[in-house]
Amino acid sequence: MQKEKEDEYEPLLKSVKETKDKLKFPNKSLLLAACAACIGGTFQYGYNISIINAPTKSVQNFINQTWLERFKSDIPEQALTLLWSTIVSIFTLGGFIGASVGGTMAIKWGRKGALLINNVFAIVAALLMGLSYPTGLFELLIIGRLFTGINAGIGICVQPLYLGEIAPTALRGAMAMGTSIFITGGILTGQVIGLNELLGKEEYWPLLLSTTCIPAVMQLLSLPWFPESPRFLLIDKGDNEGCNNALKQLHGEESCDSEREDMERERIIAAGVQAKKPWELFSDRSLSWQLLTILLLNSAQQLNGINAIYFYANYVFQQSGIPDDKIPYAAVGTGACECITALTCGMLIESLGRKVLIIGGYTLMSICCILFTLSLTFQDISPIVPYLSMACVFAFILSFGLGPGGVTNILNTELFTQTARPAAYMIAGSVNWFSFFFIGMLFPFIVTGLQQYCFLVFLVVCCLVVIYIILVVPETKNKTFLEIHNEFQSRGKRKASSADGPRATLLSTPL
């Protein structure tokens, strides 16, 4: 009898095994769709963060020259600093605006539609910044940077949403790492193009800033060839045929049945439920732990000290004896380091899981904070110490890329079901951009007040995040969105029952 049962289930087990074997590497169409989404999505975020560093002196000279032509006097030093700070920091304001509307765009026009529409902001920004020099209007740089921020904010909100929804469960983590890989790839590309040998010379700065249109054009030419998110088509639009065609194109005919079953279960649960607004998530007690988790992880992603490391990098390179004109090449090394780590994380995430990587990343960052504080404090005690500081810079960047840099965006996708996910991305993106702006405003004062001891503040942040993840966040590897949601639900029920336990005992006690 037992033998008959084994024979009965043998074809099913064989089919499951074959499906898993096929999913070890993504379908070619799926991989190309991810690249098409990322090149005009999070690549723009990384690219526009780094590209503004190279033409700093050139743009400041242009502002001073324009001011002189208008007012017949040199611009005051404080006014120049204010204008340059505005050009740089308005990018974060644009990012905040973009993140605030990205989820709504993804619901109204679809994930793919929102990404395609988003390229308009990048093209307009490139046009404005390119025309600033011939027209003598530095104000166009400010407006252009605002538009690049809006483009980056929408991209970093919608593109991870698209990747998370087109990927099969077994490859969701690896596919979602495309977000981190293309951010770091954008940073590295911006650093390389900004070198003097390419577009880093003073006369090329308008062209350098206008290159933000190239990824946008590439996405407009490539993404239309790939389908909309199958989950959006089925659950949000009720388009069965469109969903089937999308799954076949992205996953292949053989691998789409199990994903379709998972979507059907989620559609049944979401039947008649409208996509949630961001403020509705705060009043939904079933999502309280998920919401708290993304709020904490997205704020920690900016407040964990990675910005401080990049701030101190040039000083550390100078102390290590690297000539000033060679420091940009060392900076390219940090970008390459982060990019390689993101690729490594993408290869490890499905075997080690999300929880191990993010805990490991924050733990290593905590150790680096201690070592970096010590090495900066005793910088002059030995000629070897500056090299220890340099090693800490690279180790911190590696640790960030291994965990927080990549896994945070994946959890934004995995912790929510279809109706809540766009709103969750709007909240996560807004928190991330606000934290970016907050640390940018306060960091100079923190460094001035605490100097190298500022890393002790970041040490506390990293340690608190590790404790929270260990206690609250479950492993999400190889789990469907519904399974992850149910795990948080059961956690809430356990806490509620433990809270009600003593009360129930008291009520059952005879008076």
Side-chain angles (χ1 to χ4, degrees):
M1 185 72 178
Q2 183 68 27
K3 178 68 174 171
E4 288 177 4
K5 284 187 176 180
E6 288 177 2
D7 292 341
E8 184 183 343
Y9 288 111
E10 188 176 348
L12 180 61
L13 293 170
K14 186 178 179 182
S15 173
V16 171
K17 186 177 184 301
E18 286 175 355
T19 302
K20 284 186 176 179
D21 289 340
K22 286 174 185 172
L23 287 175
K24 284 181 180 177
F25 193 79
N27 184 290
K28 182 181 176 181
S29 180
L30 180 65
L31 199 58
L32 291 173
C35 291
C38 291
I39 194 67
T42 49
F43 181 88
Q44 289 276 40
Y45 171 79
Y47 186 73
N48 284 296
I49 282 176
S50 67
I51 202 72
I52 197 66
N53 294 323
T56 300
K57 292 292 182 185
S58 304
V59 174
Q60 288 178 346
N61 290 339
F62 163 65
I63 293 171
N64 191 36
Q65 178 189 343
T66 305
W67 191 279
L68 184 62
E69 290 173 359
R70 289 183 189 178
F71 304 107
K72 311 303 179 189
S73 64
D74 287 333
I75 186 172
E77 188 67 30
Q78 288 182 333
L80 179 62
T81 304
L82 177 63
L83 283 171
W84 174 246
S85 299
T86 303
I87 290 169
V88 174
S89 60
I90 202 165
F91 177 76
T92 59
L93 176 60
F96 183 83
I97 295 168
S100 301
V101 301
T104 304
M105 290 175 65
I107 294 168
K108 187 172 183 179
W109 292 300
R111 285 50 165 156
K112 174 183 163 183
L115 286 172
L116 290 172
I117 293 168
N118 185 36
N119 290 302
V120 174
F121 293 106
I123 293 169
V124 171
L127 188 64
L128 290 171
M129 291 188 290
L131 290 173
S132 61
Y133 181 75
T135 58
L137 297 170
F138 57 76
E139 292 86 355
L140 294 181
L141 286 174
I142 297 172
I143 302 169
R145 284 287 291 176
L146 177 67
F147 277 115
T148 59
I150 294 172
N151 170 263
I154 294 171
I156 207 169
C157 175
V158 180
Q159 178 237 291
L161 193 60
Y162 181 71
L163 290 191
E165 292 182 2
I166 67 172
T169 302
L171 286 172
R172 196 170 57 228
M175 287 293 296
M177 276 304 299
T179 297
S180 180
I181 291 167
F182 274 81
I183 288 176
T184 54
I187 292 171
L188 179 60
T189 305
Q191 290 170 335
V192 171
I193 290 179
L195 294 173
N196 280 334
E197 288 80 358
L198 295 174
L199 296 179
K201 292 182 180 177
E202 182 162 2
E203 61 267 28
Y204 293 147
W205 71 261
L207 181 61
L208 177 64
L209 295 181
S210 298
T211 54
T212 188
C213 69
I214 296 173
V217 172
M218 289 174 67
Q219 185 175 76
L220 286 171
L221 293 175
S222 59
L223 190 58
W225 296 97
F226 299 99
E228 178 57 86
S229 156
R231 286 182 178 273
F232 174 78
L233 291 172
L234 182 67
I235 300 172
D236 292 71
K237 293 297 181 184
D239 185 355
N240 283 286
E241 186 179 352
C243 174
N244 287 333
N245 292 337
L247 284 172
K248 286 174 184 176
Q249 183 179 347
L250 294 169
H251 299 172
E253 299 243 356
E254 305 86 354
S255 308
C256 62
D257 290 340
S258 59
E259 292 300 318
R260 177 61 194 252
E261 289 171 11
D262 176 44
M263 291 181 200
E264 285 289 357
R265 285 194 294 271
E266 195 170 340
R267 179 169 76 159
I268 291 167
I269 291 173
V273 179
Q274 295 293 320
K276 293 181 181 291
K277 304 292 189 296
W279 52 89
E280 291 175 340
L281 299 191
F282 289 96
S283 59
D284 189 341
R285 296 192 64 181
S286 68
L287 298 174
S288 56
W289 283 108
Q290 294 96 308
L291 195 58
L292 179 60
T293 300
I294 65 162
L295 288 172
L296 178 70
L297 293 183
N298 280 275
S299 56
Q301 195 175 26
Q302 296 295 341
L303 305 177
N304 57 28
I306 187 66
N307 298 296
I309 284 290
Y310 279 114
F311 178 85
Y312 269 102
N314 284 2
Y315 167 74
V316 169
F317 293 148
Q318 286 173 342
Q319 291 295 105
S320 302
I322 297 175
D324 287 352
D325 61 331
K326 302 297 181 187
I327 285 177
Y329 300 95
V332 169
T334 63
C337 176
E338 195 172 351
C339 193
I340 291 167
T341 313
L343 287 166
T344 306
C345 184
M347 292 185 284
L348 294 175
I349 195 162
E350 293 300 351
S351 56
L352 296 180
R354 288 68 156 148
K355 196 166 182 176
V356 170
L357 284 176
I358 196 167
I359 289 173
Y362 272 113
T363 302
L364 290 173
M365 288 164 69
S366 301
I367 296 168
C368 290
C369 282
I370 297 170
L371 294 176
F372 201 47
T373 302
L374 292 172
S375 65
L376 288 175
T377 302
F378 302 106
Q379 191 81 359
D380 301 323
I381 203 170
S382 167
I384 301 173
V385 177
Y387 295 99
L388 176 61
S389 299
M390 188 186 292
C392 286
V393 167
F394 284 96
F396 195 98
I397 292 169
L398 283 167
S399 305
F400 176 79
L402 189 65
V407 180
T408 302
N409 289 315
I410 298 170
L411 292 177
N412 290 342
T413 300
E414 293 184 326
L415 299 188
F416 296 89
T417 53
Q418 189 75 9
T419 54
R421 197 174 295 121
Y425 261 101
M426 290 169 70
I427 294 170
S430 299
V431 168
N432 202 305
W433 283 100
F434 178 77
S435 301
F436 190 3
F437 177 76
F438 178 79
I439 195 69
M441 291 293 292
L442 286 188
F443 181 67
F445 299 101
I446 295 172
V447 172
T448 303
L450 299 177
Q451 297 182 355
Q452 71 270 23
Y453 298 107
C454 67
F455 285 95
L456 297 179
V457 176
F458 304 128
L459 170 64
V460 173
V461 172
C462 292
C463 290
L464 289 175
V465 173
V466 168
I467 294 167
Y468 179 85
I469 293 169
I470 291 171
L471 295 177
V472 175
V473 182
E475 178 54 70
T476 59
K477 183 182 76 170
N478 288 334
K479 293 178 182 176
T480 66
F481 295 126
L482 284 176
E483 287 171 344
I484 297 165
H485 178 74
N486 291 337
E487 195 160 338
F488 274 103
Q489 288 282 77
S490 61
R491 174 184 294 275
K493 287 176 183 176
R494 284 198 302 270
K495 288 190 175 293
S497 62
S498 63
D500 292 340
R503 190 182 304 167
T505 305
L506 284 171
L507 288 172
S508 62
T509 304
L511 292 172

